Amino acid sequence: MALALRHTLVTSLNALATHKSRSALTILGIVIGITAIIVVTSVGETAEDIIVGELGGLGADTIVVRPGKEPKGPTDIAEVLLSDSLKQRELAALMKKSNVPHLADAAPEVLVTGSVSYGGETFRPVILGFTADFMVKTLKLRVASGVAFDERDIATRAPVAIIGSRVALELFGGEDPVGKNIDIKGRKFRVVGVFEKRGQVVFFDIDELVLVPYTTAQAFLVGTKHFNQIVVRAESPGLVDRTVFDIQQTLRALHDIDDPTKDDFSVQTQQGLVSQVRTIIGVFTIFLSFTVAIALIVGGIGIMNIMLVSVTERTREIGLRKALGATDRDIMRQFLVEAVFLTAIGGIIGVVLGFIISVAVSFFLSRSIGLPWEFHFSLSASLLGIIISSIVGLVFGIYPAYKASRRSPIEALRYE
Amino acid sequence: MKPVLIEVSNLQKSYFSEGVETPILHDLTFSITEGEFVAIMGPSGSGKSTLLHILGFLDRHTTGEYRFKGKSIDDYSKDEVARVRNEMMGFVFQAFNLLPRISVLENVKLPLLYSRVAEREWNRRAEEAIRAVGLAHRFQFDAVRLSGGEKQRVAIARALVNSPSVIFADEPTGNLDSRSGVAVMDILQALNEERGHTIILITHEAYMAEHAERVIHILDGRIDKDEKVMKRIRK
């Protein structure tokens, strides 16, 4: 049997080699289909890895409280941005041990848009009003030179700032920024520290960050009393669900809300966010896979077409084999093996091509959003690609193989 | 007395096309015993090839009876027919019908692929058959690179490899020059005389028929003459 199979493979290979360009064009459909499968799954998984990795950077114990009701569509986003339901009062309520017992720490966030300048240099960084302590702890950041501002600075709305390494470089060049005064939206801030070089972490670049006390940001830079969000850390990841519940109860009590659908805030956990992202990417992948399936069917029809041509061309060979004792089953098996062989080659080429394209796509993808390059190549998707292409060969090879098996042996003798 | 291998009685064959019956063979009756070398001779269109196809289990007759080794062809199942072709019959065609891109050895092994012979035997058997036709120096040659005469000798080796009861040769020298033709005929004759293979040869040339012991002349689908060869060519 092994030798018989080898003989069949050699014969198939010969048949394919005789019509190189025809074989190549025939398997093109399969190659494209399988390439698409590999690219879609691989890029999908890479994107998922990047996003989940970024979210994971916040830590599983992190909870984010946002103003406005939970956004369900684009119009709700505006409400989140404009809502002023989270202020100092809400923060104080959450910080109370009796309200949210397992809260380890909480910090409000105030987003500022604007540019900073020093001397003649101007730079447009991400300006964030926050607490330095929370930032350093959650992101495991280090202040490379100088110090972080503290509780007292927050309480006194001190005009102090910690800047990222890129900001330091843009504004100060080689000079030491610590102790110097920079200008943020027309106000003087003293630089107390510079963050270590870290790059992109959780959707923003630490190197391009200017961190000021949130109280200072509210009072002097934005002029409003509400927060863009409050970031909470639970005592442990296991206590996140409990803490979310306590936060919801506290804020509902504070805002006199009985009906949870009328919440004027939303609470999001990292797990929730991660599973949301996974769902979105999953749906996207399924949709693309469906499109790819159509490409494979079209490819399969191409295979069937060319196998039928091959059966006609090889009438003489089929007749000869029958005269030498091949049964209908033997002939059928030979042509099936040939079709599967053809599509499996297409599948393997597709996997290799898909691999190359995926590497390129994920490279440019991570470059364009400024994240460290990450690549995810799915071995299971590759195996699946080759198996699927073989199945396409099997399914679309059956009809031509059946036709071949029905050929009469005397045609071989008639043939001149 | 040797056993009868092929027994044909009142055999008739017609082709049907759009309801019109075209008779090819009429009422043939003859038998061939094991070890015989029979030439079936006739002009083109006489029906001799059709007769060979029926005898070789490649085609079916319309009426009458054909018994091979005492069993009527109608009693063989489809798979049994394939098995008989594989194990008991060897075919040599005018157009050689070798697979061009595989070696001589692989070509000769082809019938073994469909046989019950154990795989470890294949090479030995194929090499033996190739030696028998004097092509031991060509084992690994691709079939396309052989001359016409060599190709036909490979085809004979292929027909021999399963040690069949009968070898059917359909105009085996039709595509060959006279020298290669004679060589091929000598091999067939040797197989008959030295190894006792039954050989049924189709030809339209009288001097080719002289290699046989007996000639059945076919004319318009009927047996015209069935005679012993008086001056058989001696090797």
Side-chain angles (χ1 to χ4, degrees), chain A residues 57-121:
Chain A
L58 268 181
D61 52 1
T62 310
I63 300 161
V64 177
V65 186
R66 292 207 177 87
K69 66 179 175 190
E70 193 169 351
K72 294 261 192 284
T75 49
D76 296 341
I77 303 282
E79 200 178 326
V80 173
L81 293 173
L82 297 172
S83 175
D84 59 356
S85 63
L86 296 181
K87 295 182 190 151
Q88 190 62 42
R89 189 167 74 104
E90 282 75 15
L91 178 67
L94 293 180
M95 297 284 266
K96 248 192 216 155
K97 238 354 184 199
S98 57
N99 283 337
V100 189
H102 299 294
L103 177 144
D105 201 358
E109 213 179 275
V110 178
L111 272 172
V112 183
T113 49
S115 51
V116 294
S117 57
Y118 173 76
E121 302 295 331

Side-chain angles (χ1 to χ4, degrees), chain B residues 141-160:
Chain B
F141 261 56
D142 274 2
V144 271
R145 293 171 58 204
L146 301 173
S147 71
E150 286 174 327
K151 278 181 186 162
Q152 200 57 299
R153 280 148 73 189
V154 173
I156 293 170
R158 183 179 63 192
L160 272 179

Side-chain angles (χ1 to χ4, degrees), chain A residues 1-4 6-8 10-11 14-15 18 316-317 319-331 333-334 405-406 408-410 412-416, chain B residues 15 52-53 57-59 78-79 82-83 85-87 89 91 93-99 101-102 106-107 109-111 113-114 119 122-123 158-159 162 170 175:
Chain A
M1 189 57 225
L3 202 63
R6 204 183 67 203
H7 170 88
T8 311
V10 168
T11 318
N14 278 330
T18 317
R316 187 174 168 187
E317 181 196 323
L320 170 76
R321 286 176 186 274
K322 283 197 161 184
L324 298 182
T327 59
D328 290 2
R329 263 193 321 280
D330 290 325
I331 300 294
R333 190 171 57 213
Q334 183 192 338
S405 74
R406 308 302 291 181
S408 152
I410 51 173
L413 304 155
R414 289 229 182 90
Y415 195 94
E416 275 302 312
Chain B
Y15 285 117
L52 183 98
H53 295 163
F57 278 27
L58 297 168
D59 204 352
K78 233 173 160 247
D79 280 1
R83 186 151 298 283
R85 282 201 295 254
N86 181 254
E87 293 178 352
M89 297 174 174
F91 293 91
F93 309 109
Q94 180 175 0
F96 322 130
N97 283 335
L98 301 180
L99 297 185
R101 267 166 227 87
I102 59 176
E106 293 295 322
N107 262 294
K109 272 200 269 186
L110 215 51
L113 220 64
Y114 304 112
E119 254 185 66
W122 291 6
N123 275 327
R158 183 179 63 192
N162 261 343
D170 188 1
N175 283 5

Side-chain angles (χ1 to χ4, degrees), chain A residues 365-385:
Chain A
L365 194 73
S366 53
R367 270 274 293 265
S368 67
I369 55 174
L371 289 174
W373 183 60
E374 232 179 282
F375 176 63
H376 198 291
F377 184 68
S378 163
L379 188 69
S380 59
S382 318
L383 286 177
L384 194 70

Side-chain angles (χ1 to χ4, degrees), chain A residues 4 8 18 84 135 137 142 146 161 164 186 194 284 301 305 321 329 342 349 396 400:
Chain A
T8 311
T18 317
D84 59 356
M135 188 88 177
K137 273 191 193 149
R142 223 165 47 81
V194 180
F284 196 60
I301 292 169
N305 193 12
R321 286 176 186 274
R329 263 193 321 280
L342 193 67
I349 296 173
F396 289 94

Side-chain angles (χ1 to χ4, degrees), chain B residues 115-128:
Chain B
S115 74
R116 288 181 286 197
V117 175
E119 254 185 66
R120 57 183 179 331
E121 289 283 296
W122 291 6
N123 275 327
R124 190 187 57 75
R125 284 233 200 171
E127 285 168 15
E128 200 179 282

Side-chain angles (χ1 to χ4, degrees), chain A residues 180-195:
Chain A
K180 306 269 167 29
N181 284 328
I182 55 170
D183 194 289
I184 307 176
K185 294 182 86 172
R187 289 211 161 246
K188 290 248 171 297
F189 280 75
R190 189 163 51 83
V191 177
V192 293
V194 180
F195 284 123

